[in-house]
Amino acid sequence: MATLPLRALTLRQLQFFSVLVEEGQFGRAARRLAITQPALSNAIKQMEKLLGAELLTRSTHRLELTPVGAEVLARTDFLVNTFEVALRDIESTVQRGRAFVRIGVIPSASARVAAEASEFLKNGQRDVELAWRDAPSTTLLAELRSGQLDMAVAAITEPPGGLTCIDLFRDPLVLVVRRDHPLAAAGDANWEAIGKERLVLFESGSMPALGNPARAQFAQGAEPYRVSYSETLYALVRSGQALGLMPRLYTSSLRDPELVVVPLLKPRVERRVVLAYLPGPMRNVVAQELIAFLHERLPQAGEAFVRRVSKGMRAKRQGG
């Protein structure tokens, strides 16, 4: 439980501190907050007095956070964001008469998550409005920590601090090759089979952490092309300039007769797809219910996808 002086802190003081750091100058922050500069200065001094620590070092031209101030800011931003989002949730509930849940999802898992969320809406007894946010995992996890999302389906290579994560399924790396490439007929491949051929892979997300160590282990030749979008990756493969290296989830919607997805083995490199949320009480009951529903359904969807891929690979090997 917080000590008595800390309990005297107000949300308004925390908002003042957050805006001041964002603006970097008392004058601009005071204008944005529609208060006088002395009133803002007094509010920050009162905060420092209550906390018993200096939050900012002041000079003529700029402000700098102290180490304590940086830690306080992280928690302040969380509280301020959560409060503002909660107010919007309340407003939405009152105006629309329905619960409001914010979901973050990596683009490669969006089809699967959207399908299961649709089932949740059909089967549920509550009137719910879902807000969707698609972004890379790093962005989703940051927005989850700041209180802007209720939950996120993200891909990780290491456990993210400060969040509860439920493992859903594993997503291995695969190769995407031209249909006339020797590896397409083989049915699967290992890292040594790539030889000195150039790869193309995503420049951000989990790919650097997944692909680079394996490339280094097997002394892959030319430096890979690094791209941002799957269409660019497919175009480079289609033109014969590279072999595509990507998580299997991205290939679930690939319908290109010129390209073949080849499982990549020895070693099997995979990322964890998790359902993440902040520990502690949720903003609303429906978010808790949706988390429980996705926890149950998404791993099953992952297994079904694996069975479809395996069946497809057997058909190709049999000439089907």
Side-chain angles (χ1 to χ4, degrees), residues 90-110:
I90 292 170
E91 181 183 32
S92 175
T93 300
V94 171
Q95 291 181 349
R96 298 180 175 87
R98 65 186 70 174
F100 194 65
V101 180
R102 292 176 172 82
I103 306 175
V105 60
I106 49 175
S108 56
S110 59

Side-chain angles (χ1 to χ4, degrees), residues 89 92-93 96 98-105 110 112-122 126-133 148-151 283-291 293-294:
D89 287 353
S92 175
T93 300
R96 298 180 175 87
R98 65 186 70 174
F100 194 65
V101 180
R102 292 176 172 82
I103 306 175
V105 60
S110 59
R112 193 175 303 175
V113 177
E116 297 304 331
S118 180
E119 287 300 312
F120 174 80
L121 294 175
K122 290 176 185 176
R126 298 175 182 273
D127 196 7
V128 185
E129 180 174 348
L130 302 180
W132 292 90
R133 166 76 162 130
Q148 299 175 64
L149 296 172
D150 291 299
M151 67 196 75
R283 283 205 295 265
N284 61 64
V285 174
V286 178
Q288 298 175 21
E289 294 173 350
L290 180 55
I291 285 173
F293 185 87
L294 294 178

Side-chain angles (χ1 to χ4, degrees), residues 1-270:
M1 183 176 291
T3 59
L4 188 59
L6 280 181
R7 285 184 169 274
L9 278 173
T10 67
L11 179 63
R12 188 166 177 79
Q13 287 172 324
L14 296 175
Q15 290 171 322
F16 286 179
F17 178 55
S18 180
V19 170
L20 175 59
V21 174
E22 187 176 332
E23 293 294 340
Q25 202 252 9
F26 274 94
R28 288 197 300 269
R31 287 192 293 273
R32 178 172 158 186
L33 292 165
I35 61 174
T36 65
Q37 189 168 327
L40 176 58
S41 180
N42 287 335
I44 301 302
K45 288 177 182 177
Q46 183 64 21
M47 269 191 73
E48 292 177 323
K49 182 178 179 180
L50 291 170
L51 291 167
E54 188 178 39
L55 301 176
L56 299 160
T57 56
R58 301 157 174 84
S59 68
T60 306
H61 300 292
R62 64 177 184 174
L63 299 171
E64 289 187 2
L65 286 167
T66 64
V68 171
E71 291 294 327
V72 171
L73 178 66
R75 289 154 180 81
T76 295
D77 284 345
F78 170 75
L79 287 170
V80 170
N81 285 335
T82 301
F83 177 75
E84 291 178 352
V85 170
L87 285 181
R88 290 198 295 270
D89 287 353
I90 292 170
E91 181 183 32
S92 175
T93 300
V94 171
Q95 291 181 349
R96 298 180 175 87
R98 65 186 70 174
F100 194 65
V101 180
R102 292 176 172 82
I103 306 175
V105 60
I106 49 175
S108 56
S110 59
R112 193 175 303 175
V113 177
E116 297 304 331
S118 180
E119 287 300 312
F120 174 80
L121 294 175
K122 290 176 185 176
N123 299 334
Q125 302 299 316
R126 298 175 182 273
D127 196 7
V128 185
E129 180 174 348
L130 302 180
W132 292 90
R133 166 76 162 130
D134 62 332
S137 294
T138 50
T139 301
L140 295 178
L141 296 178
E143 293 181 359
L144 193 56
R145 289 190 185 94
S146 69
Q148 299 175 64
L149 296 172
D150 291 299
M151 67 196 75
V153 174
I156 63 172
T157 54
E158 297 179 357
L163 298 173
T164 298
C165 289
I166 300 171
D167 276 295
L168 297 175
F169 49 85
R170 300 299 175 107
D171 186 24
L173 297 188
V174 296
L175 285 177
V176 179
V177 303
R178 281 169 51 122
R179 186 168 292 279
D180 59 2
H181 193 282
L183 288 177
D188 56 44
N190 57 44
W191 285 84
E192 291 178 324
I194 297 173
K196 300 299 181 182
E197 293 200 56
R198 173 166 277 179
L199 294 171
V200 53
L201 48 87
F202 295 129
E203 62 183 350
S204 60
S206 56
M207 280 307 303
L210 291 173
N212 290 343
R215 286 187 59 255
Q217 180 180 351
F218 292 99
Q220 234 72 68
E223 183 66 19
Y225 296 121
R226 300 181 188 275
V227 299
S228 297
Y229 300 102
S230 56
E231 278 308 313
T232 308
L233 185 148
Y234 294 145
L236 290 173
V237 175
R238 202 179 292 115
S239 67
Q241 298 184 54
L243 307 182
L245 178 66
M246 66 198 311
R248 185 176 60 196
L249 266 180
Y250 279 92
T251 68
S252 61
S253 59
L254 179 61
R255 303 288 185 272
D256 190 322
E258 295 183 52
L259 302 179
V260 174
V261 178
V262 180
L264 186 55
L265 311 174
K266 297 181 182 179
R268 178 184 167 98
V269 180
E270 55 191 12

